[in-house]
């Protein structure tokens, strides 16, 4: 098929080979102990290097920022070395990869926190549901969330510093840029939204105040990378992780407008019907699209994600003024997604049972079209997994 989706796109100093982006995807497969990326992770990312851009899975900026078992970090030398395997493999395969920087805030559990402390948040408001942790035997376990501790105003510079150090580490690890995760109910989104931010200091109340921490983080990481290599991800009107805001149009209109001033690589917006790894019904499907509103305000490169197929993606770039489309579940199951879309070929279905944790199964063993058609050799995936993990 022919569509501007397959055309090169200029992004900062780079030329993306197409407008199809691999969305950040939590897969919980880092080496333990230490949450360290492995050669298996490197192989998985390199398999997907035909994306115009890869965004790494959400990566905790500090131990305090971890919220799920086995997610990788970017705050120790071992993690930086592990990520170097990933960036080298992606570059050798001709790809580009940004790292997504993540602090989960209240979406955590003492089992994942330094010294078993309470997770931190803008306000001491718990979310409903269960945290995904590993128990003493290293088995996955779901345990109820706890009420987080509200951060003191004096602690907020340290949060900014966590992102800044992680940004420096991402540079050392060989990434091509970074994305600040300010979506899906994690720390920066908890500051943005009125349902999770009841602060009475300069970081709560008016939208300008609730956006302050995000702006400070963005400024700090732009100081490390230069703004043209920094993206920001938002999920306006998203409900995942118990989120909500009294007036999302005012909030996200303000945020989009402030982000104009930075000259970022891109703004990345998650469609509101995406909740984590699932698509949910919108409360009011007739409501004006918040993505459309943001497109009217934000002047730079706009990336969208959530529930796109070829037809919707083509329409978004051809008619809706969207610049880049990120695909999550489709890229997870189709390492050669751009080629499949170009050929209008059938797509592999993602296997939810292997989304989080485990090894190569449901990770590196989704075949390419050429492998399925017998035009390329199908590797012995079990053996490949063993070799990759043995190599360290
Ligand atoms: C689903 C499961 C675990 C993490 C996000 C990082 O929502 C995530 C995530 C999603 O951005």
């Amino acid at each position: 098929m022919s569509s501007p989706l397959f055309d090169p796109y200029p992004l900062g100093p780079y030329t993306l080979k197409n407008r199809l982006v691999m969305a950040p995807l939590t897969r919980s497969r880092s080496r333990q102990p230490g949450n360290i990326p492995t050669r298996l992770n490197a192989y998985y990312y390199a398999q997907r290097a035909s994306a115009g851009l890869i965004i790494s899975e959400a990566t905790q900026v500090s131990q305090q920022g971890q919220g799920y078992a086995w997610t990788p970090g970017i705050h120790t030398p071992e993690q930086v070395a592990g990520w170097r395997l990933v960036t080298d493999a992606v570059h050798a395969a001709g790809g580009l990869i940004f790292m997504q920087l993540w602090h989960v805030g209240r979406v955590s559990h003492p089992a994942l926190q330094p010294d078993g402390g309470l997770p931190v948040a803008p306000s001491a408001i718990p979310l409903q549901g269960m945290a995904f942790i590993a128990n003493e035997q290293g088995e996955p376990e779901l345990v109820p969330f706890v009420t987080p501790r509200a951060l003191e105003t004096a602690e907020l510079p340290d949060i900014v510093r966590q992102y800044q150090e992680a940004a420096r580490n991402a540079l050392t690890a060989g990434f091509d840029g970074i994305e600040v995760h300010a979506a899906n109910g994690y720390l920066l989104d908890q500051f943005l939204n009125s349902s999770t931010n009841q602060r009475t200091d300069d970081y709560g109340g008016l939208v300008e105040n609730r956006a302050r921490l995000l702006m400070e983080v963005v400024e700090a990481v732009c100081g490390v990378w230069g703004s043209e290599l920094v993206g920001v991800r938002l999920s306006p009107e998203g409900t995942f992780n118990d989120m909500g805001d009294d007036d999302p149009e005012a909030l996200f209109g303000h945020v989009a407008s402030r982000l104009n001033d930075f000259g970022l690589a891109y703004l990345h917006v998650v469609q509101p019907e995406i909740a984590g790894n699932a698509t949910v019904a919108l409360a009011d499907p007739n409501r004006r699209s918040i993505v459309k509103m943001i497109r009217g305000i934000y002047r730079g490169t706009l990336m969208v994600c959530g529930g796109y197929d070829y037809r919707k993606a083509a329409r978004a770039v051809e008619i809706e003024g969207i610049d880049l489309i990120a695909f999550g579940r489709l890229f997870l199951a189709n390492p050669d997604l751009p080629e499949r879309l170009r050929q209008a070929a059938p797509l592999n279905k993602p296997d939810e049972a292997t989304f989080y944790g485990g090894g190569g199964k449901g990770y590196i063993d989704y075949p390419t079209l050429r492998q399925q058609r017998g035009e390329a050799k199908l590797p012995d995936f079990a053996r490949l997994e063993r070799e990759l993990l043995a190599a360290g």
Side-chain angles (χ1 to χ4, degrees):
M1 283 195 230
S2 147
S3 154
L5 273 178
F6 304 114
D7 290 347
Y9 184 83
L11 190 80
Y14 308 120
T15 302
L16 310 191
K17 49 185 174 282
N18 54 55
R19 297 174 183 235
L20 309 169
V21 175
M22 178 181 168
L25 292 166
T26 288
R27 306 303 309 274
S28 286
R29 282 166 164 85
S30 66
R31 184 189 303 283
Q32 301 307 312
N35 300 321
I36 301 163
T38 66
R39 284 184 203 274
L40 183 69
N41 304 145
Y43 188 88
Y44 156 82
Y45 281 109
Q47 280 179 312
R48 288 157 179 77
S50 65
L53 176 68
I54 295 172
I55 304 168
S56 82
E57 63 207 278
T59 301
Q60 56 262 10
V61 295
S62 63
Q63 189 51 53
Q64 187 189 66
Q66 184 177 8
Y68 302 80
W70 313 313
T71 55
I74 185 72
H75 53 92
T76 70
E78 294 77 17
Q79 291 164 349
V80 172
W83 279 116
R84 173 56 83 171
L85 301 173
V86 174
T87 60
D88 282 350
V90 168
H91 292 150
L96 287 168
I97 181 165
F98 276 34
M99 162 164 279
Q100 194 193 48
L101 299 181
W102 193 31
H103 189 309
V104 298
R106 69 174 184 167
V107 188
S108 186
H109 187 273
L112 295 162
Q113 290 294 305
D115 307 318
L118 286 177
V120 298
S123 302
I125 303 169
L127 76 161
Q128 301 304 308
M130 306 293 248
F132 175 71
I133 63 163
N135 66 20
E136 313 250 294
Q137 289 75 47
E139 302 292 328
E141 198 168 305
L142 291 172
V143 289
F145 287 115
V146 299
T147 301
R149 171 176 81 74
L151 285 159
E152 307 279 342
T153 311
E155 290 179 280
L156 298 180
D158 182 63
I159 299 285
V160 176
R161 189 198 51 76
Q162 290 176 26
Y163 280 92
Q164 191 176 32
E165 300 232 313
R168 281 197 203 104
N169 288 340
L171 198 57
T172 309
F175 282 90
D176 300 301
I178 53 169
E179 174 176 291
V180 174
H181 194 349
N184 300 349
Y186 301 110
L187 184 67
L188 297 172
D189 200 28
Q190 291 159 28
F191 270 84
L192 291 176
N193 285 257
S194 57
S195 67
T196 40
N197 183 340
Q198 296 181 353
R199 299 178 72 88
T200 53
D201 62 3
D202 288 349
Y203 295 81
L206 301 172
V207 291
E208 291 87 327
N209 285 352
R210 285 184 270 133
R212 191 178 307 281
L213 185 64
L214 171 61
M215 298 307 154
E216 289 178 358
V217 166
V218 171
E219 191 163 345
V221 299
C222 285
V224 175
W225 276 88
S227 58
E228 63 170 9
L229 296 175
V230 173
V232 171
R233 194 178 212 219
L234 302 171
S235 55
E237 295 180 358
T239 54
F240 185 53
N241 284 324
D242 275 4
M243 295 308 289
D245 187 78
D246 290 342
D247 188 350
E249 296 202 358
L251 170 62
F252 289 97
H254 170 79
V255 172
S257 148
R258 284 291 314 277
L259 291 177
N260 271 329
D261 303 337
F262 287 93
L264 298 173
Y266 60 81
L267 175 60
H268 183 180
V269 177
V270 183
Q271 289 283 4
E273 62 261 43
I274 294 304
N277 62 30
T279 305
V280 295
L282 286 178
D284 176 5
N286 297 321
R287 214 179 132 90
R288 181 162 107 104
S289 154
I290 193 105
V291 174
K292 195 167 173 181
M293 185 205 80
I294 289 176
R295 178 67 292 182
I297 295 172
Y298 189 68
R299 291 192 293 270
T301 293
L302 187 61
M303 183 191 306
V304 294
C305 185
Y308 283 87
D309 57 12
Y310 174 81
R311 199 180 45 81
K312 281 180 73 176
R315 194 174 56 210
V317 296
E318 284 162 30
I319 299 170
E320 296 164 11
I322 304 297
D323 302 298
L324 300 169
I325 314 287
F327 297 86
R329 287 165 285 178
L330 291 188
F331 243 120
L332 184 157
N334 297 277
D336 55 346
L337 184 65
E339 186 56 27
R340 286 180 191 253
L341 295 183
R342 198 180 279 117
Q343 294 192 27
L347 299 175
N348 300 321
K349 296 262 174 300
D351 168 22
E352 286 193 31
T354 50
F355 277 4
Y356 311 111
K361 186 168 176 305
Y363 192 56
I364 60 163
D365 59 356
Y366 288 104
T368 63
L369 201 55
R370 296 192 59 229
Q371 287 167 343
Q372 278 171 330
R373 289 180 175 160
E375 296 160 10
K377 197 166 161 290
L378 198 64
D380 175 347
F381 285 115
R383 182 166 159 202
L384 187 58
E385 172 189 357
R386 276 196 308 278
E387 285 171 0
L388 289 166
L389 289 177

